[in-house]
Structures are given as C-alpha cells and as structure tokens.
C-alpha cells in the first residue's frame, strides 16, 4: 500500500511541472494541436511546451535525435523504429471553394480531374508522392498551378478561389465548414492517409507526455469528421 501511494504521489508531481517538446506538421499546427494543448493545460497548467513545425521526414529525424518527445503528423512510416500512441485513418478529398462546379458532388474519381488546375503540396511532403503515383496510375494529367509545403497556404488559396486541391481528412470546424467543400475521392488508386501521434519505440515517455497523448487523441476525434463516422478504432 505504501508503494502504491508513493507511485501515485510521484505521478501527481509529474503532472504538476515539466516541459514537453512536440513536433507537428504544418497542417495541424493551427487547429488540432492548439485544441489539444488548450484541453491539456486546463488540467495541468504548469506544464510548458516547445513546438517544432516540420514535415514528416524531419519529424522522424527529430524523434531519433531526441529533439522532440512526440511527433504529430501525416503518413509516418510503420517500420522506422516508431510506435503509434494514437492514430486515425482519413479519407482523401477534393478541396474546393463552396461555389466551385465540383462543390455539390458527393464523390469524384481521379479520372474526372484531367486537365484540372490544382494547388498541390510540393515534393517535400509525402502526400505529393502519393498523389503523383495515383495520378500516373490513373493516366490523368493535371495542371499544378501552385506548389507549396504549407497546408495552411493551400487552404488560403483555395478559399480565395485560386484553384482546388487534394487533402487528407475533412476538418469539421466552423470557418472551414463555411468556406470550403469536401468532395470524397472515391478511387482505389488513391489510398487514404493516416494521422498519427508517434514516439520512439525504445523511449520511455514521461507521465506528462503520456497524459498529453490522451488530449491529442481527443482532439483528433473532434477535429476530423472520419473519426466520427469510421468504425476503425483509434
């Protein structure tokens, strides 16, 4: 009983102070991560944070160099010494402004996007490799009018009607819901993406880091529509 009581005291102290360094993809540095931090700090206000925004490859490198405690992002490799603390599968969507000709469609095929002007992630992002492979397999030529490594910029440009894009997952948040339409890409050639919260497989996370994973998992459920509709558990 004394041992259990002592462990509980240590656990309590572990959440009363400490510092977490989190790596995150650009696309989740505005919505998902701030929501997770807000919820976590409402419970444990004395935990401080350092945030590194980077692409998925660089986040894996940062984990291996012990530069960050946790990484949150798209399409982490499954065989690179990582362990998934939370994850969720996402459908692929065509992102358009609400008045675009495709906006009212429920679904679309890659073959219907031939000669379309697209705003695409650049080659530094893993999603671009997936898109290029799928479009080539479908025999579809598109016009990449803008390429960028910033998902926030992609959303901004689509919202300003500069073009349309392809994204993983659908965010169900007020401003996003009002300004954009998501058309599901129902095509076997383009597999869905995965958002994950990862740590090194051989690392022992702090009590604060383990607790923060719970906030991240809840934020994933709240932020992305597929989390509410898919039967696949987190």
């Amino acid at each position: 009983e004394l041992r259990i009581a002592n462990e509980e005291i240590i656990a309590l102290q572990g959440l009363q102070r400490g510092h977490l360094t989190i790596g995150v993809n650009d696309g989740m540095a505005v919505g998902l991560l701030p929501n997770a931090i807000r919820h976590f700090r409402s419970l444990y206000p004395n935990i401080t944070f350092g945030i590194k925004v980077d692409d998925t490859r660089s986040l894996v490198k940062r984990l291996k160099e012990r530069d960050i405690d946790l990484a949150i992002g798209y399409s982490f490799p499954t065989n690179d010494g990582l362990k998934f603390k939370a994850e969720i599968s996402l459908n692929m969507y065509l992102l358009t402004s609400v008045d675009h000709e495709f906006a009212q469609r429920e679904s679309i095929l890659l073959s219907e996007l031939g000669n379309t002007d697209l705003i695409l992630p650049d080659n530094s992002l893993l999603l671009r490799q997936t898109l290029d492979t799928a479009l080539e397999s479908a025999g579809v030529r598109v016009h990449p009018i803008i390429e960028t490594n910033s998902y926030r910029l992609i959303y901004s440009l689509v919202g300003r009607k500069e073009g349309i894009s392809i994204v993983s997952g659908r965010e169900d948040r007020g401003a996003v819901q009002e300004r954009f339409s998501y058309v599901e890409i129902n095509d076997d050639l383009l597999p869905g993406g995965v958002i994950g919260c990862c740590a090194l497989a051989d690392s022992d996370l702090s009590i604060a880091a383990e607790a923060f994973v719970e906030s991240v998992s809840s934020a994933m459920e709240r932020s992305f529509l597929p989390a509410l509709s898919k039967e696949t558990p987190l």
Side-chain angles (χ1 to χ4, degrees), residues 74-75 84 86-93 168-170 191-196 220 224-234:
Y74 296 98
S75 304
F84 284 77
E87 61 182 309
I88 185 170
S89 297
L90 303 176
N91 292 334
M92 301 297 293
Y93 291 92
S168 292
R170 172 177 174 173
V194 174
I195 285 180
M220 286 180 179
F224 291 94
L225 219 59
L228 303 178
S229 60
K230 277 185 171 293
E231 297 180 357
T232 305
L234 293 179

Side-chain angles (χ1 to χ4, degrees), residues 6 17 19 28 30-31 34 52 64 81 120 127 137 142 157 160 162 165 172 194 197 202 216 229 232:
N6 187 54
R17 61 181 184 274
H19 182 80
M28 283 165 280
V30 175
K52 312 286 187 182
K64 291 182 175 180
L120 293 177
L127 177 58
S137 298
V142 297
L157 289 166
R160 286 167 172 76
E162 294 299 325
S165 188
D172 187 27
V194 174
C197 176
D202 61 354
V216 172
S229 60
T232 305

Side-chain angles (χ1 to χ4, degrees), residues 111-164:
S111 59
E112 298 179 78
L113 300 180
N115 298 317
T116 302
D117 293 340
L118 287 180
I119 300 167
L120 293 177
D122 66 21
N123 289 321
S124 70
L125 301 177
L126 292 175
L127 177 58
R128 179 57 182 273
Q129 297 178 26
T130 302
L131 293 178
D132 285 347
T133 300
L135 290 169
E136 183 178 355
S137 298
V140 175
R141 281 178 168 268
V142 297
H143 301 145
I145 57 172
I146 301 173
E147 298 172 285
T148 176
N149 65 346
S150 171
Y151 285 106
R152 282 181 289 179
L153 180 56
I154 288 174
Y155 270 83
S156 180
L157 289 166
V158 172
R160 286 167 172 76
K161 304 178 184 179
E162 294 299 325
I164 60 179

